[in-house]
Amino acid sequence: MIKPDAVEANNTGKIIDMIIDAGFSIKAMKLTHLTKGEAETFYAVHKERPFYGELVDYMTSGPIVAAILEKSNAVEDFRKLIGATDPAEAAEGTIRKQFAESKAKNAVHGSDSDENAEIESNFHFSEREIVG
Ligand code: ADP
Ligand code: MG
């Protein structure tokens, strides 16, 4: 996902360019606005964390871009491309280093395992919205 802060700041195109330049292909993509219930479900794994309420408010504060990306070793390579959760710790050349405002408003989401990538893909897209 390209998160609300990055969509609002008109960084969507630049972020998609970086993703394509890094060798990912786009299998599905859409602009959407998560409801509170959708954000709560998507981030349910974090519901005991102190920042959960803030995270749900942020993720519903404006439109997001959801996408399914394909590449060999996609999960690990995408996490490398986006950088650390906190932009202060993100490596030079990463998306979060360049576009994240803070640890909370950090521009992009990437799945953390193949299993979660499948769950999250199915959360955002139906089978007929996925190319190939
Ligand atoms: P990542 O997105 O890098 O996988 P996490 O899964 O740990 O990071 O956290 C999910 C999201 O919750 C983060 O991307 C960020 O938007 C938000 N978040 C994480 N830690 C904090 C925090 N300490 N305070 C506020 N928001 C946070
Ligand atoms: Mg995570």
Side-chain angles (χ1 to χ4, degrees):
M1 288 188 282
I2 302 176
K3 294 181 174 183
D5 58 310
V7 173
E8 167 70 24
N10 289 323
N11 289 326
T12 299
K14 291 172 200 147
I15 291 170
I16 293 170
D17 266 350
M18 287 176 77
I19 291 168
I20 291 170
D21 287 348
F24 293 86
S25 51
I26 297 168
K27 307 300 288 181
M29 179 169 271
K30 68 180 163 195
L31 182 72
T32 185
H33 195 145
L34 297 178
T35 64
K36 188 164 188 276
E38 285 168 341
E40 284 171 348
T41 301
F42 189 91
Y43 282 111
V45 63
H46 293 309
K47 66 172 179 289
E48 307 305 330
R49 308 277 280 276
F51 58 81
Y52 181 64
E54 182 191 342
L55 177 58
V56 169
D57 286 349
Y58 158 53
M59 288 303 297
T60 57
S61 66
I64 59 135
V65 173
I68 299 177
L69 304 174
E70 184 175 79
K71 187 183 180 298
S72 61
N73 204 33
V75 165
E76 192 185 336
D77 286 358
F78 193 69
R79 302 286 306 192
K80 245 181 238 162
L81 176 66
I82 71 179
T85 307
D86 184 346
E89 290 163 20
E92 226 32 79
T94 61
I95 292 173
R96 281 170 167 167
K97 177 73 176 184
Q98 200 165 331
F99 297 113
E101 289 177 27
S102 65
K103 189 170 187 177
K105 297 184 173 183
N106 59 2
V108 280
H109 167 83
S111 304
D112 62 8
S113 65
D114 286 352
E115 189 193 357
N116 283 335
E118 182 153 9
I119 292 168
E120 293 175 355
S121 294
N122 291 331
F123 175 89
H124 284 299
F125 297 97
S126 64
E127 205 164 324
R128 66 166 297 281
E129 294 176 297
I130 304 169
V131 171

